[in-house]
Amino acid sequence: MNNTNIEINTKKLLISVELVTTLANPLSKRILETISEYGRISESDIVFELGEKPSAVSDQLIKLRKTDLLEINREGDNTFFNIQLGKIQRVSNAINKMIEVNKHLIK
């Protein structure tokens, strides 16, 4: 039996778990779709478009900000969001690779 040591970067693993968990949240998904549709949109407009409670949208935006998938611009009292398309594509590619490698576990 091959006794290979596998080194796991705990910090990167925790960030990855937070990222995947955030992206799996239905409201986060709807927020990303809304931002993608508009290209640049304020938090209050996201709340209006989704018809969700401001606190729920704010909570998910905070989580999405931590994933670094959003570009954030502040103008006065307003915060505007854009999607970091390159980062979304890299995350999507990485998730697809993990699924492909582990497809035998997914039934």
Side-chain angles (χ1 to χ4, degrees):
M1 178 178 222
N2 188 357
N3 230 358
T4 305
N5 289 334
I6 299 174
E7 211 173 295
I8 297 175
N9 183 319
T10 306
K11 184 177 179 181
K12 286 184 179 181
L13 180 62
L14 291 173
I15 290 169
S16 297
V17 168
E18 185 173 336
L19 173 65
V20 171
T21 303
T22 300
L23 291 175
N25 180 288
L27 182 54
S28 286
K29 187 176 177 183
R30 291 177 54 216
I31 289 170
L32 287 171
E33 288 169 349
T34 301
I35 296 170
S36 178
E37 181 181 331
Y38 284 86
R40 179 178 185 270
I41 188 169
S42 69
E43 184 171 340
S44 58
D45 287 338
I46 294 169
V47 169
F48 177 78
E49 287 297 320
L50 297 179
E52 296 285 343
K53 293 181 181 177
S55 60
V57 171
S58 181
D59 288 347
Q60 288 307 308
L61 282 170
I62 289 168
K63 291 177 182 178
L64 285 165
R65 286 161 125 165
K66 288 180 184 178
T67 66
D68 204 27
L69 296 175
L70 299 177
E71 180 181 304
I72 302 156
N73 297 301
R74 290 187 175 81
E75 294 178 13
D77 292 337
N78 292 315
T79 303
F80 291 90
F81 298 92
N82 290 356
I83 289 182
Q84 299 275 13
L85 288 177
K87 291 180 182 181
I88 292 273
Q89 289 169 337
R90 286 193 299 276
V91 168
S92 178
N93 290 340
I95 290 170
N96 288 334
K97 284 179 187 176
M98 286 190 305
I99 290 170
E100 182 63 29
V101 167
N102 295 295
K103 66 182 173 187
H104 63 284
L105 301 173
I106 303 168
K107 300 227 178 197

